[in-house]
Every structure is written in C-alpha cells, then in structure tokens.
Amino acid sequence: VNKRYVDQRTLEQTIPGQNIGDLLYWNGQSWQKLSAPQEQSTLRFCEGQLTWGPCKVKLFLIEREKGSNYVEVEILVVSNGSFVSEIGVYVSTTNQMPNENDITYFENQSLDFDKGLDFPTSPATTYFVRAYAINNESLEKSYSDVISITTLPTDQNGNTIYSKTYGNQEWSRDNADVTTYRDGTEIPRASDSQVFANATTGVYLQTDYGKFYNWYAIMGIHDNDLSTPNKQFAPEGWHVPSRSEWETLRDYLIANGYNYDGTTTGNKIAKAMATSWGDWSNDDSLGAVGNNQSLNNASEFYAQPNGQISADGVHFNYGISATFWTRTYDFNNYGQFFSLNNNSPSLNMNTSYLFGRGHSVRFVKD
C-alpha cells in the first residue's frame, strides 16, 4: 500500500482487524477485509474477489451430436482449482429448468476436463438439458445454462431423417429407404426386373445401390381398385416434392451462389448437389459433376450416382447419374423427374414414360 493514499491509522479506523490472519485488500474501488479462515485454506481469486477455499465451478453445455434416439452433449468444466466429484445432466421434456427431480445422467468420477455425455431419446422430441457438477470440498452444486435440443424425426420404418434447410424448404438428405406406406401397408418388393417393369401398382426394386421406386409407389397407388383411397408414401410431416418444389430448390441454390463458378444466374449447381465421395465417373467438362470432385457437395444435398431403372426394369447408369421422382404427372402416362449427370453442370428436369421406370426419392417437409 502506498502511504500517499492510505496509512495504518486510517486502516485501523475504517476496517479494524480482529484476528491474526485477517486480510485487507483493495478491490479497485474500496478496501475489503477478508476474515481469517477457521482452518488451513488456500487463498484464491474467484470472479474478481479473493476468497478462502475453492472457487465455484463453472459449467458450459454444448450440443455435440444428435440423432432420432440419442443426444450427445459436451460439458465444459472450469474448475477454478476445485476438485469435481460428480458431473452430469438433468433432462426433461416438460420442465424448462430441469433439476434433480427429473431424469439424471451422471458420471461418478473426478473430472477436470471437457466431458462428452450421451443419453437415449425418442424421435422428434424437444428435451431441456442442464449440466451440473458437485464440488468435492464444499459439496456445492454448480449449474450450466439450460439448452433445448430437438431430436431428429424418423420415417415409418424407423430410419432417421437427416435434413437440410434451403430458404423456406427443408429437404431430406438421404434417399427414401422405406418398405411400407405411412400407415404400415407393405410396398411389395419386385422379385426381378420383369416384375418391376410390368407392375401397375406400387413396387420397389432393391439393388446394391439402394431402393428404386416406380411412380405408382410414390403416388400411393397400392392396388387396382379405383375406389380405394391412395396411400401416403412419405412419412408423417413430409411429402414427395412436386416439379415446382424442385424448381424452387434449384432457384434458391442459383441465387445463393452455388453455381460452380460462383455466379447467380444460369443453372450450374450440379456440383454443389453431388457428393464429393462415392463413385461418380470422371469427366473433364468444365463445371461437370465428374470434374474435380473434391469441390462437390457445397450445398450438402448429398446426391449419389446410384443410377436409375430403365423402361424394361433394368438398373443402369451407376456412376453416371442421380435421378429423383417428382409427384407431378405430365400427360398420357408421362411423369417428371430431376437428374444430375457426371458430364453436366446442371440440375435437369426430365419427362419420361411411367411404366417400368424407377428412380430414387427425396422428401420435403410439409
């Protein structure tokens, strides 16, 4: 203490010490007295204040990963020299400030580092999560802020629906992989190419590169009785996109700089939609999907070159194309689908005869 500002007499008059070990310190604004501890303790600087004993543990909770049936969070522990004997999370779907009366997931061990902790969940459900830690010396419990986490939905067969939002649309990130309609009615599996080609109701063809559906399946035409209502192919809350919805996606990607050359005019978005891994066949054409594939998939649409089913029910074009049904009927038994090709920079709209054809399917959220 510089005697130009304070002397011992002033200190004794304003903040008298009563015990050996009392501590006087200047906090930047005024003099503060810290009484001597009752037992041997360590002096620490906690949150701008001197204190005897351990500082309060600080916790920060971060969502790390989630699916439809699990959530993993990261707990960042700032121990401030304290010994943490237990760390965990309180989880609730109803209580927005979860506590020990809610479901608890914890670790009975000393932790002084970042901790990942996962817990089981149900699909499409919002969970309120709060981390806690117990100080082994003081038994004081510290808490993080509450975060809310909504788990991913599933389709009617329990497959997790991973999705990506583009403007006002939310698209599934994987091709449809269902074997039933929404209500559980089976979609028959074609035993061979001929059965698939001749089908006049919904069927799918299983290949090494995924499931391909005929147009009747995506429209829910499950029998030949015209008086029977059609089924729903997409899971609850989703639908098969129309031609106009595909065009909305296309226009959004163009306007937001996903053309391979960064421009915002012209249809040059195929590279941004195609996977950067997989078996796309190489092609040297400027801006083509097959050219410099490490630059693909900027939009995270994850279109894979699974090919398509020809009019005679035969799988072909693996490595060459990715094709996707729309629900839009053209005329005279013609339907519309969109495609990416290894030698093209564009997302292309196509019209083809319905019978025998098979394509992949994506979903758009209602």
Side-chain angles (χ1 to χ4, degrees):
V1 176
N2 192 317
K3 289 188 176 181
R4 287 180 299 172
Y5 298 100
V6 66
D7 58 27
Q8 183 64 32
R9 180 176 51 198
T10 303
L11 298 179
E12 290 175 350
Q13 291 175 352
T14 56
I15 309 178
Q18 299 176 349
N19 302 303
I20 295 175
D22 284 355
L23 180 67
L24 188 68
Y25 69 97
W26 178 257
N27 70 358
Q29 297 179 337
S30 62
W31 288 98
Q32 302 292 320
K33 185 185 75 171
L34 185 65
S35 298
Q38 298 299 313
E39 55 188 26
Q40 182 175 337
S41 299
T42 302
L43 183 63
R44 293 187 175 93
F45 194 66
C46 302
E47 299 182 356
Q49 299 292 329
L50 285 172
T51 185
W52 296 109
C55 297
K56 185 176 181 180
V57 175
K58 288 186 177 181
L59 295 175
F60 302 91
L61 186 61
I62 302 170
E63 177 187 327
R64 178 185 286 176
E65 189 177 353
K66 67 181 178 183
S68 55
N69 57 4
Y70 78 97
V71 162
E72 183 176 350
V73 294
E74 183 176 0
I75 306 171
L76 303 181
V77 183
V78 181
S79 63
N80 292 316
S82 300
F83 181 80
V84 177
S85 60
E86 181 178 306
I87 189 170
V89 292
Y90 297 130
V91 179
S92 176
T93 57
T94 56
N95 183 5
Q96 297 188 24
M97 190 62 67
N99 53 49
E100 57 272 8
N101 295 320
D102 297 301
I103 298 175
T104 304
Y105 302 97
F106 65 91
E107 295 286 344
N108 272 321
Q109 61 184 45
S110 172
L111 294 169
D112 195 17
F113 49 84
D114 301 348
K115 175 67 179 176
L117 192 135
D118 60 276
F119 54 91
T121 62
S122 297
T125 304
T126 298
Y127 292 85
F128 301 99
V129 188
R130 183 165 61 152
Y132 72 89
I134 297 177
N135 187 309
N136 192 54
E137 298 174 67
S138 66
L139 299 182
E140 182 179 17
K141 188 176 287 187
S142 301
Y143 301 94
S144 72
D145 290 337
V146 178
I147 63 172
S148 63
I149 303 173
T150 301
T151 53
L152 302 181
T154 59
D155 63 26
Q156 54 264 37
N157 296 153
N159 301 308
T160 299
I161 302 176
Y162 297 94
S163 63
K164 176 78 174 180
T165 298
Y166 305 96
N168 295 323
Q169 295 179 316
E170 185 174 346
W171 287 73
S172 62
R173 211 178 63 183
D174 299 309
N175 295 344
D177 187 27
V178 297
T179 58
T180 68
Y181 295 105
R182 185 185 296 180
D183 67 356
T185 300
E186 180 184 5
I187 303 173
R189 174 178 176 173
S191 57
D192 55 38
S193 298
Q194 185 176 3
V195 171
F196 188 88
N198 294 329
T200 57
T201 58
V203 295
Y204 72 91
L205 188 66
Q206 181 69 54
T207 73
D208 293 337
Y209 312 108
K211 292 179 175 63
F212 293 87
Y213 300 89
N214 65 2
W215 188 80
Y216 302 103
I218 69 162
M219 297 305 295
I221 302 172
H222 62 289
D223 60 28
N224 288 309
D225 184 350
L226 297 179
S227 66
T228 303
N230 291 341
K231 302 290 184 179
Q232 293 294 325
F233 177 80
E236 184 72 35
W238 300 79
H239 61 270
V240 176
S242 64
R243 170 181 172 173
S244 64
E245 286 176 307
W246 273 97
E247 291 172 338
T248 297
L249 172 64
R250 177 198 64 195
D251 294 345
Y252 173 87
L253 294 176
I254 293 170
N256 284 272
Y258 284 99
N259 281 340
Y260 75 86
D261 57 3
T263 60
T264 54
T265 58
N267 179 357
K268 297 173 279 188
I269 57 173
K271 287 184 70 62
M273 300 181 72
T275 54
S276 57
W277 45 266
D279 294 325
W280 283 103
S281 296
N282 292 324
D283 187 275
D284 294 332
S285 303
L286 182 63
V289 169
N291 184 7
N292 197 1
Q293 295 181 41
S294 63
L295 300 180
N296 289 0
N297 206 36
S299 72
E300 298 182 355
F301 190 79
Y302 291 97
Q304 300 181 54
N306 292 340
Q308 56 186 296
I309 306 300
S310 67
D312 55 3
V314 175
H315 178 259
F316 75 111
N317 262 6
Y318 180 77
I320 302 297
S321 66
T323 64
F324 305 93
W325 277 120
T326 78
R327 69 171 187 268
T328 301
Y329 181 82
D330 199 336
F331 62 93
N332 293 335
N333 293 317
Y334 279 80
Q336 296 176 339
F337 67 95
F338 279 77
S339 66
L340 303 173
N341 297 285
N342 73 309
N343 61 356
S344 171
S346 305
L347 171 67
N348 303 302
M349 197 283 292
N350 310 267
T351 299
S352 72
Y353 201 52
L354 296 178
F355 296 115
R357 297 285 185 175
H359 301 292
S360 301
V361 185
R362 292 292 180 97
F363 300 130
V364 174
K365 195 169 186 180
D366 293 348

